[in-house]
Amino acid sequence: MKTINANELSPLQLQNYLQYAIAPRPIALVSTVDSHGNVNLSPFSFFNLFSVNPPLCVFSPSRRVRDNTTKHTLDNLREVPQCVIQVVTPDMLHQTSLSSCEYDKAQNEFVKAGFTALPSELVKPPRVAESPVQLECMVTQIIETGDGPGAGNLVLAEIKKIHVSEAVLSSEGNGIDQTKIQLAARLGGDWYCEIRPENLFKVPKPNVALGIGVDKLPEFIIQSDYLSKNDLARLANIEVIPDADIIEKLKVEYQSLIAGFSNADLDSGVEARFWAEVQKLIRKDEINKTWALLLSCQECLTVSKI
Ligand SMILES: Cc1cc2nc3c(=O)[nH]c(=O)nc-3n(C[C@H](O)[C@H](O)[C@H](O)COP(=O)(O)O)c2cc1C
């Protein structure tokens, strides 16, 4: 691997590594006003949700690398510490990019980018009607992380009101449906990506229980040449290895699958087919079935290895 001392790279060179690697980043489309009421709208991908109690977002209008000047968003927040943060969907991306142009301070980027302004309920900056989630925020702190070109200004924005489009709400009425809200995200340079339902998957994670861990898997599984470390982690995300009683029940449930392997003389061809099946089941997230197959055929495997 190439190893780089961060302090030997210029801010521009650092961007070429860090913005490509720390990606995708969510995009905040932030509206602010100055003390005269001039409206500003700009996107920021140095942005994230920071906590829920209190509900805080952070983003960073950095000092310009080119000439070390500060951005209108930051100047406005110092005058009026309020903003609206809106999420960005793929169908708003070109407008969002256009709003990042360095227009004069008096120029309203809602107009330039063709966004529709909606009055906010609590804060002075207006909302972007096209965004499915608009967060009215009070800015509680701005932390300067330096004073040179590219230095960050960490804005802590406390969310006071959440406006959500009905179209992205779950039918159970308990918040947003992840498959309905399609978001755009920023990567390095001019690269972007979008979240579509077909790209989504779940990783089951027991919240209260502890997975046994890869180190506690039976040795014959750890030693398998056919499973990746990631496959092992999926198997190890169970609280206990199924005991004999459970295995007996699983054997009945999956008997036809197991019969294909357990009585066989596991020569190398059959063994490869066995592990391919295990891998397939793991990747289909059929973990119980995988354990049934693994533990039912464990002896045959051991014998065939000898
Ligand atoms: C998708 C996207 C994300 C951006 N993220 C940031 C960021 O996190 N920090 C930043 O300082 N500039 C970022 N920029 C550039 C600013 O939007 C740009 O400098 C803008 O002119 C600032 O406007 P202002 O001076 O009106 O605040 C981003 C631009 C785009 C298109």
Side-chain angles (χ1 to χ4, degrees):
M1 289 194 103
K2 182 173 177 173
T3 302
I4 302 160
N5 290 322
N7 61 5
E8 286 167 14
L9 296 188
S10 69
L12 263 180
Q13 289 170 316
L14 282 167
Q15 277 181 3
N16 288 338
Y17 287 96
L18 300 179
Q19 290 181 213
Y20 285 75
I22 301 177
R25 296 180 304 284
I27 304 170
L29 184 57
V30 179
S31 43
T32 54
V33 291
D34 67 12
S35 51
H36 305 290
N38 291 314
V39 173
N40 193 89
L41 183 69
S42 303
F44 297 94
S45 69
F46 292 175
F47 159 63
N48 225 309
L49 174 65
F50 196 71
S51 64
V52 287
N53 184 17
L56 271 185
C57 278
V58 288
F59 65 95
S60 173
S62 313
R63 285 175 166 275
R64 290 196 179 83
V65 173
R66 191 179 65 244
D67 56 9
N68 199 22
T69 52
T70 56
K71 300 196 175 177
H72 296 150
T73 302
L74 180 69
D75 302 341
N76 286 358
L77 289 174
R78 290 203 165 114
E79 292 175 27
V80 181
Q82 304 179 348
C83 63
V84 185
I85 295 177
Q86 10 269 317
V87 301
V88 173
T89 58
D91 56 4
M92 298 163 60
L93 202 46
H94 288 278
Q95 286 172 282
T96 301
S97 177
L98 186 56
S99 76
S100 78
C101 291
E102 294 184 11
Y103 294 112
D104 285 347
K105 193 158 192 285
Q107 185 68 63
N108 179 342
E109 285 93 353
F110 276 81
V111 177
K112 283 291 173 199
F115 280 124
T116 315
L118 282 180
S120 294
E121 292 180 10
L122 188 74
V123 300
K124 289 182 183 148
R127 300 181 272 145
V128 175
E130 286 78 0
S131 170
V133 179
Q134 307 144 6
L135 308 169
E136 291 190 39
C137 302
M138 301 299 263
V139 170
T140 54
Q141 260 191 87
I142 300 176
I143 302 169
E144 291 179 15
T145 62
D147 56 13
N153 294 284
L154 187 66
V155 176
L156 274 65
E158 186 168 339
I159 300 162
K160 296 293 188 185
K161 273 190 193 280
I162 305 169
H163 305 274
V164 191
S165 157
E166 300 276 346
V168 301
L169 290 175
S170 83
S171 44
E172 285 85 45
N174 57 354
I176 291 176
D177 181 333
Q178 197 66 77
T179 62
K180 290 185 182 167
I181 183 163
Q182 301 200 3
L183 298 167
R186 185 145 200 221
L187 299 97
D190 293 339
W191 292 97
Y192 289 83
C193 67
E194 61 182 72
I195 295 166
R196 298 201 202 101
E198 62 267 31
N199 295 336
L200 294 175
F201 56 89
K202 288 186 175 178
V203 176
K205 182 175 184 303
N207 249 345
V208 276
L210 290 180
I212 57 167
V214 169
D215 57 324
K216 292 285 186 290
L217 289 172
E219 205 52 32
F220 81 99
I221 299 177
I222 296 179
Q223 294 304 330
S224 163
D225 297 332
Y226 298 85
L227 301 182
S228 71
K229 294 271 168 60
N230 216 21
D231 292 327
L232 295 183
R234 288 171 85 154
L235 272 181
N237 193 15
I238 52 163
E239 276 179 83
V240 281
I241 294 178
D243 63 17
D245 283 354
I246 297 178
I247 289 301
E248 279 316 307
K249 281 188 201 134
L250 292 173
K251 264 186 182 172
V252 176
E253 202 175 337
Y254 305 124
Q255 54 182 311
S256 58
L257 172 79
I258 293 164
F261 296 105
S262 55
N263 297 326
D265 174 14
L266 290 183
D267 60 31
S268 60
V270 180
E271 190 173 340
R273 197 162 56 78
F274 170 82
W275 284 111
E277 184 64 30
V278 167
Q279 191 190 66
K280 194 172 89 191
L281 289 176
I282 293 176
R283 292 180 188 185
K284 276 167 52 189
D285 221 22
E286 303 211 41
I287 302 301
N288 272 347
K289 216 173 186 178
T290 316
W291 275 106
L293 184 61
L294 278 167
L295 297 180
S296 307
C297 300
Q298 177 175 3
E299 273 173 29
C300 312
L301 280 169
T302 318
V303 170
S304 84
K305 283 237 185 242
I306 298 165

